[in-house]
Amino acid sequence: MVDISTSISGTTLPNVFFNASGVWCQHEDELQAMVESHSGALITKSATLAPRQGNPSPRYLPLPLGSISSMGLPNEGYEYYLRYACSFNYSRTKPLFISLSGLSLGDSVKMVEAFVAADLPCMLEINFSCPNVPGKPQLGYDFEAMDAALATLAPLIKKPFGIKLPPFFDIAHFDLVAAVCQKYSNLAFLTCVNSIGNGLAIDFETETALIKPKDGYGGLSGAMILNTALANVNAFYRRLPDKQIIGVGGVASGKEAFLHILAGASAVQIGTQLMEEGPAVFERLNKELAEIMAAKGYNTIEDFRGRLKTL
């Protein structure tokens, strides 16, 4: 029998798959659908201190090779997700991850302190990559600010936690980010990658941008970012052997999931494909990954994780 289970920071996931934060996770009914699905875990929508409506619509559209979106962090505010985490049935076999995205370091501190005070078995993922909030830069591209944020948040969290990162495109940036992350022992996992920021999709017939926010500029996701995502997963897997990588970007089938794990990922999040297919996608992905592993003679993901060959 092929075993597609994994573990993140010592917490077991019955399979490697779960939703990317932002998809099927804003409201409790969506989270319940994730609980009832064949995912190996679930993560909440990135929470801000106060509820947000997000950007005006249309703010998400599928494209031939993925999607473009500029959501603007619509969420119910961190207290909503804290209440959900407090009521979550942790005796289930499926772990809960909580995503937090403060619009300032002070906001992040307040949210982290509230979750720490609640002393819950959920795991925190701090989102350092919010490319589609007008007027707000990505913390993930300001390495000094990222270091300062981790220096403040890591001692508060105490337990293992993770960060969501934007895609990086320069070898020197891989080195710089890894050097920052290496300084914090309880920073246990990196989620790579968020969407590629500030793409522009245009309707040829109407000569009009396809989404409304930011004059049509939005994050690119799905198949078109697979190779960028794989590079980021592998770059940080190589540089941070004592931390785990959660791969996200371009996974539409078991094949892409296999590639993420081969590049070094310990788990795989699904975004665009989940948006388009719904939570039923996880049953298909589990089956496809297991079939690929069986065909290649692998019994567990550790048999091939990170064993990418180079020429």
Side-chain angles (χ1 to χ4, degrees):
M1 292 291 291
V2 171
D3 180 2
I4 61 170
S5 68
T6 189
S7 65
I8 300 294
S9 303
T11 297
T12 299
L13 284 66
N15 66 72
V16 299
F17 296 107
F18 62 116
N19 61 311
S21 180
V23 187
W24 282 87
C25 59
Q26 182 172 345
H27 302 111
E28 193 164 343
D29 61 334
E30 295 171 322
L31 293 165
Q32 183 59 32
M34 287 299 306
V35 168
E36 295 170 0
S37 77
H38 286 79
S39 72
L42 68 155
I43 188 168
T44 59
K45 173 69 179 176
S46 290
T48 51
L49 198 63
R52 289 176 57 90
Q53 293 294 316
N55 291 338
S57 294
R59 57 191 187 183
Y60 167 90
L61 279 176
L63 297 174
L65 292 175
S67 63
I68 185 169
S69 63
S70 181
M71 304 300 290
L73 276 177
N75 74 95
E76 305 307 304
Y78 84 97
E79 291 177 325
Y80 180 93
Y81 304 103
L82 178 57
R83 288 192 297 271
Y84 179 81
C86 287
S87 66
F88 190 76
N89 181 0
Y90 291 97
S91 65
R92 299 180 194 273
T93 58
K94 184 178 295 191
L96 173 65
F97 291 74
I98 298 290
S99 179
L100 302 176
S101 185
L103 299 181
S104 68
L105 181 55
D107 286 358
S108 293
V109 166
K110 289 178 184 177
M111 293 189 290
V112 163
E113 287 177 337
F115 276 92
V116 169
D119 192 23
L120 301 167
C122 55
M123 278 184 280
L124 298 182
E125 179 188 276
I126 311 299
N127 190 348
F128 282 176
S129 177
C130 291
N132 295 309
V133 177
K136 296 288 183 180
Q138 288 197 52
L139 190 63
Y141 288 147
D142 186 335
F143 306 133
E144 290 184 3
M146 185 193 306
D147 194 3
L150 286 170
T152 298
L153 297 174
L156 291 175
I157 297 172
K158 299 184 178 69
K159 298 191 301 183
F161 73 102
I163 56 174
K164 175 82 167 277
L165 290 174
F168 299 98
F169 307 96
D170 194 300
I171 297 297
H173 292 165
F174 292 139
D175 293 337
L176 287 166
V177 173
V180 169
C181 293
Q182 194 61 63
K183 294 164 66 173
Y184 304 97
S185 59
N186 64 322
L187 173 54
F189 65 90
L190 284 65
T191 301
C192 307
V193 293
N194 206 333
S195 58
I196 296 178
N198 295 318
L200 178 63
I202 301 171
D203 185 298
F204 173 76
E205 297 298 334
T206 67
E207 304 176 13
T208 305
L210 287 178
I211 60 172
K212 184 172 183 177
K214 295 172 58 179
D215 295 325
Y217 289 70
L220 302 177
S221 302
M224 72 180 87
I225 76 163
L226 172 65
N227 301 101
T228 295
L230 292 174
N232 277 256
V233 167
N234 189 246
F236 290 116
Y237 171 77
R238 291 173 181 271
R239 287 164 174 77
L240 296 167
D242 59 337
K243 304 187 188 300
Q244 292 182 286
I245 312 299
I246 298 176
V248 56
V251 178
S253 73
K255 178 182 177 180
E256 295 83 37
F258 179 88
L259 295 177
H260 267 274
I261 298 166
L262 186 68
S266 293
V268 179
Q269 293 180 349
I270 312 300
T272 296
Q273 194 65 31
L274 173 58
M275 180 75 83
E276 294 303 308
E277 193 171 333
V281 69
F282 292 108
E283 185 174 11
R284 175 175 66 81
L285 293 175
N286 286 339
K287 181 175 181 289
E288 290 175 353
L289 177 60
E291 288 173 347
I292 289 169
M293 289 170 57
K296 287 178 170 283
Y298 297 129
N299 295 317
T300 75
I301 70 162
E302 292 306 316
D303 291 342
F304 66 97
R305 186 175 65 84
R307 298 191 182 182
L308 172 68
K309 302 168 189 173
T310 57
L311 301 178

